[in-house]
Short mmCIF file of all heavy atoms in Angstrom, two decimals:
data_model
loop_
_atom_site.label_atom_id
_atom_site.label_comp_id
_atom_site.label_asym_id
_atom_site.label_seq_id
_atom_site.Cartn_x
_atom_site.Cartn_y
_atom_site.Cartn_z
N ALA A 76 100.78 110.25 106.38
CA ALA A 76 101.10 111.68 106.38
C ALA A 76 100.10 112.40 105.50
O ALA A 76 99.49 111.80 104.60
CB ALA A 76 102.52 111.92 105.87
N THR A 77 99.92 113.68 105.76
CA THR A 77 99.02 114.49 104.93
C THR A 77 99.83 115.39 104.02
O THR A 77 100.91 115.87 104.37
CB THR A 77 98.08 115.35 105.79
OG1 THR A 77 98.83 116.10 106.74
CG2 THR A 77 97.07 114.47 106.50
N PHE A 78 99.30 115.61 102.83
CA PHE A 78 99.89 116.49 101.82
C PHE A 78 98.77 117.44 101.40
O PHE A 78 97.73 116.99 100.91
CB PHE A 78 100.39 115.69 100.62
CG PHE A 78 101.52 114.75 100.94
CD1 PHE A 78 101.29 113.56 101.63
CD2 PHE A 78 102.82 115.06 100.55
CE1 PHE A 78 102.32 112.70 101.93
CE2 PHE A 78 103.86 114.19 100.84
CZ PHE A 78 103.62 113.01 101.52
N ILE A 79 98.99 118.72 101.60
CA ILE A 79 97.90 119.69 101.41
C ILE A 79 98.28 120.70 100.33
O ILE A 79 99.21 121.49 100.49
CB ILE A 79 97.57 120.44 102.72
CG1 ILE A 79 97.36 119.42 103.86
CG2 ILE A 79 96.33 121.29 102.54
CD1 ILE A 79 97.28 120.06 105.22
N VAL A 80 97.57 120.66 99.22
CA VAL A 80 97.73 121.66 98.17
C VAL A 80 96.91 122.87 98.59
O VAL A 80 95.68 122.80 98.65
CB VAL A 80 97.26 121.12 96.81
CG1 VAL A 80 97.31 122.23 95.76
CG2 VAL A 80 98.10 119.93 96.38
N ASP A 120 108.38 123.06 100.41
CA ASP A 120 107.30 122.08 100.46
C ASP A 120 106.06 122.65 99.79
O ASP A 120 105.38 123.51 100.36
CB ASP A 120 107.00 121.71 101.92
CG ASP A 120 105.96 120.59 102.04
OD1 ASP A 120 105.45 120.15 100.99
OD2 ASP A 120 105.67 120.19 103.18
N THR A 122 103.31 121.08 99.26
CA THR A 122 102.11 120.45 99.82
C THR A 122 102.26 120.34 101.34
O THR A 122 102.42 119.24 101.88
CB THR A 122 101.88 119.04 99.21
OG1 THR A 122 103.03 118.22 99.47
CG2 THR A 122 101.63 119.13 97.72
N PRO A 123 102.23 121.43 102.06
CA PRO A 123 102.43 121.39 103.52
C PRO A 123 101.44 120.43 104.18
O PRO A 123 100.29 120.32 103.77
CB PRO A 123 102.17 122.83 103.95
CG PRO A 123 102.37 123.65 102.73
CD PRO A 123 101.94 122.79 101.59
N GLY A 124 101.91 119.75 105.19
CA GLY A 124 101.07 118.82 105.93
C GLY A 124 101.87 118.29 107.09
O GLY A 124 102.67 119.02 107.68
N GLY A 125 101.71 117.04 107.42
CA GLY A 125 102.47 116.48 108.52
C GLY A 125 102.22 115.01 108.71
O GLY A 125 101.36 114.41 108.07
N ASN A 136 94.18 115.57 111.02
CA ASN A 136 95.58 115.97 110.91
C ASN A 136 95.74 117.14 109.95
O ASN A 136 96.46 118.11 110.24
CB ASN A 136 96.43 114.79 110.45
CG ASN A 136 97.89 115.18 110.26
OD1 ASN A 136 98.30 115.57 109.17
ND2 ASN A 136 98.67 115.08 111.33
N PHE A 167 97.53 107.91 98.59
CA PHE A 167 98.55 107.36 97.69
C PHE A 167 99.76 106.84 98.46
O PHE A 167 100.10 107.36 99.52
CB PHE A 167 99.00 108.43 96.69
CG PHE A 167 99.76 109.58 97.31
CD1 PHE A 167 101.15 109.58 97.32
CD2 PHE A 167 99.10 110.65 97.88
CE1 PHE A 167 101.86 110.63 97.89
CE2 PHE A 167 99.80 111.70 98.46
CZ PHE A 167 101.18 111.69 98.46
N TYR A 169 103.90 106.28 98.74
CA TYR A 169 105.15 106.85 98.24
C TYR A 169 106.31 106.23 99.01
O TYR A 169 106.24 106.09 100.24
CB TYR A 169 105.19 108.37 98.42
CG TYR A 169 106.53 108.96 98.01
CD1 TYR A 169 106.78 109.30 96.69
CD2 TYR A 169 107.54 109.15 98.95
CE1 TYR A 169 108.01 109.80 96.30
CE2 TYR A 169 108.79 109.66 98.57
CZ TYR A 169 109.01 109.98 97.25
OH TYR A 169 110.24 110.48 96.86
N CYS A 176 105.65 106.20 102.98
CA CYS A 176 104.43 106.73 103.60
C CYS A 176 103.21 106.52 102.73
O CYS A 176 103.32 106.35 101.51
CB CYS A 176 104.59 108.22 103.93
SG CYS A 176 104.49 109.31 102.51
N TRP A 177 102.07 106.49 103.40
CA TRP A 177 100.77 106.54 102.73
C TRP A 177 100.23 107.95 102.94
O TRP A 177 99.89 108.35 104.05
CB TRP A 177 99.82 105.51 103.32
CG TRP A 177 99.96 104.17 102.68
CD1 TRP A 177 100.81 103.16 103.03
CD2 TRP A 177 99.24 103.69 101.54
NE1 TRP A 177 100.66 102.08 102.20
CE2 TRP A 177 99.70 102.38 101.27
CE3 TRP A 177 98.25 104.25 100.72
CZ2 TRP A 177 99.19 101.62 100.21
CZ3 TRP A 177 97.75 103.48 99.68
CH2 TRP A 177 98.22 102.18 99.43
N GLY A 178 100.17 108.70 101.84
CA GLY A 178 99.77 110.09 101.94
C GLY A 178 98.30 110.30 101.67
O GLY A 178 97.71 109.68 100.79
N GLY A 179 97.71 111.18 102.45
CA GLY A 179 96.36 111.64 102.17
C GLY A 179 96.46 113.02 101.56
O GLY A 179 96.97 113.95 102.20
N LEU A 180 96.03 113.18 100.30
CA LEU A 180 96.17 114.47 99.64
C LEU A 180 94.87 115.27 99.76
O LEU A 180 93.79 114.78 99.43
CB LEU A 180 96.54 114.32 98.17
CG LEU A 180 96.96 115.67 97.56
CD1 LEU A 180 98.24 115.54 96.75
CD2 LEU A 180 95.86 116.30 96.73
N PHE A 181 95.03 116.51 100.22
CA PHE A 181 93.91 117.43 100.40
C PHE A 181 94.12 118.67 99.53
O PHE A 181 95.25 119.06 99.25
CB PHE A 181 93.80 117.85 101.86
CG PHE A 181 93.41 116.75 102.80
CD1 PHE A 181 94.35 115.81 103.22
CD2 PHE A 181 92.11 116.64 103.26
CE1 PHE A 181 93.99 114.78 104.08
CE2 PHE A 181 91.75 115.61 104.13
CZ PHE A 181 92.69 114.69 104.54
N GLU A 182 93.01 119.25 99.14
CA GLU A 182 93.05 120.54 98.45
C GLU A 182 92.35 121.57 99.32
O GLU A 182 91.19 121.40 99.69
CB GLU A 182 92.35 120.45 97.10
CG GLU A 182 92.37 121.77 96.33
CD GLU A 182 91.59 121.68 95.03
OE1 GLU A 182 90.37 121.35 95.09
OE2 GLU A 182 92.16 121.95 93.97
N MET A 222 111.11 119.03 98.45
CA MET A 222 110.78 117.73 99.03
C MET A 222 110.34 116.77 97.92
O MET A 222 109.38 117.06 97.20
CB MET A 222 109.67 117.88 100.07
CG MET A 222 110.09 118.64 101.30
SD MET A 222 108.74 118.75 102.50
CE MET A 222 108.49 117.02 102.91
N ASP A 224 108.84 113.81 97.97
CA ASP A 224 107.50 113.24 98.10
C ASP A 224 106.42 114.27 97.79
O ASP A 224 105.37 113.95 97.22
CB ASP A 224 107.28 112.63 99.48
CG ASP A 224 107.60 113.59 100.62
OD1 ASP A 224 108.18 114.66 100.37
OD2 ASP A 224 107.29 113.25 101.78
N ALA A 225 106.68 115.52 98.13
CA ALA A 225 105.71 116.58 97.85
C ALA A 225 105.62 116.85 96.35
O ALA A 225 104.53 117.12 95.82
CB ALA A 225 106.10 117.85 98.59
N ALA A 228 103.51 114.27 94.98
CA ALA A 228 102.11 114.57 95.29
C ALA A 228 101.54 115.60 94.32
O ALA A 228 100.38 115.49 93.92
CB ALA A 228 102.00 115.06 96.73
#
Side-chain angles (χ1 to χ4, degrees):
T77 52
F78 296 75
I79 310 170
V80 175
D120 185 357
T122 58
N136 177 269
F167 67 96
Y169 175 86
C176 75
W177 273 89
L180 191 134
F181 293 78
E182 181 184 57
M222 293 181 63
D224 53 349

